[in-house]
Amino acid sequence: MNEQDKEHQSVTDFKQFFPSAALVGAIFGVISFVIGLYFGYQQINSEPTGSLFSPMLFSGVVICLLTSFAGLVAVWHFTKEVTSELSMGQGAALGFLAGAVVAVVSVLLNEVWVTLVDPEYTEKMIESSIAAIEIMDLPESAKDDMIDAMSESIEQGATFGRQLFIGIPVNGLLNLITALIGVKIFADKKESF
């Protein structure tokens, strides 16, 4: 196979991956958004406890673990709908693409929510976090430092570009790993040249 045929084959592979990555990534992106929103409003509506363990902290762990399986599911979908032959490299590309779609869909839905549905959402999150810090048994200077750092972190993390800049590589790499596991479980290995 010459260089031009290899290049055409890789473009064809990418086009074949996109439907599975888009479908599975969109589903996991919606799930990620809904879980994040649920825990966000749990944080906003709960009484401050003074604990560092908040619903939002818990949601981050749950969302990360759950969405990391998009790569595995995308490989499963691809092997059922397109072809059961899939190399490790192709599985890795499919997983990364699925993870990127998860991040983009989740961030877009979040942006629509905070723009059209609840523009005060971010401000409510900051106020809830400040209330939790204020009742902690810490020196005032430590509380002030924590409040400043937390407010800055939430405000910076809430920007559209920042969420994509962090979300795509993190979700992509996690799903690349689970996609490799998916290739081992679901795919017939392609013969390598």
Side-chain angles (χ1 to χ4, degrees):
M1 189 180 280
N2 64 30
E3 258 335 283
Q4 191 174 18
D5 290 339
K6 286 181 182 178
E7 185 176 314
H8 177 70
Q9 180 65 32
S10 66
V11 170
T12 303
D13 289 344
F14 184 77
K15 287 179 182 176
Q16 287 179 335
F17 295 154
F18 193 72
S20 292
L23 175 67
V24 173
I27 291 168
F28 276 84
V30 169
I31 291 169
S32 169
F33 166 72
V34 169
I35 291 172
L37 205 59
Y38 172 77
F39 281 110
Y41 281 110
Q42 287 291 323
Q43 171 85 24
I44 291 168
N45 295 323
S46 66
E47 290 294 321
T49 62
S51 172
L52 289 175
F53 297 105
S54 67
M56 282 308 294
L57 179 66
F58 181 69
S59 78
V61 173
V62 170
I63 291 169
C64 187
L65 287 173
L66 185 65
T67 60
S68 68
F69 286 98
L72 182 109
V73 175
V75 167
W76 171 81
H77 183 268
F78 184 83
T79 59
K80 297 296 179 203
E81 297 295 321
V82 180
T83 179
S84 63
E85 285 190 3
L86 196 63
S87 71
M88 294 296 271
Q90 291 171 322
L94 176 58
F96 189 88
L97 187 58
V101 171
V102 169
V104 169
V105 168
S106 180
V107 168
L108 285 174
L109 288 172
N110 190 56
E111 193 66 22
V112 168
W113 186 266
V114 299
T115 302
L116 301 176
V117 179
D118 189 0
E120 290 92 28
Y121 179 77
T122 304
E123 189 61 37
K124 291 178 198 174
M125 286 296 298
I126 292 172
E127 290 171 5
S128 172
S129 299
I130 289 172
I133 292 170
E134 285 178 343
I135 65 168
M136 289 181 178
D137 188 24
L138 295 172
E140 287 302 315
S141 61
K143 287 181 188 179
D144 291 341
D145 291 343
M146 285 178 70
I147 288 170
D148 291 342
M150 181 271 318
S151 295
E152 185 177 320
S153 173
I154 290 175
E155 287 173 354
Q156 285 180 351
T159 64
F160 182 74
R162 179 104 170 146
Q163 289 179 35
L164 286 178
F165 182 73
I166 294 170
I168 290 175
V170 170
N171 277 315
L173 291 174
L174 287 171
N175 283 288
L176 181 149
I177 294 166
T178 63
L180 293 175
I181 295 168
V183 170
K184 286 289 195 185
I185 295 171
F186 302 116
D188 298 330
K189 305 328 170 256
K190 255 188 168 179
E191 293 297 324
S192 56
F193 290 79

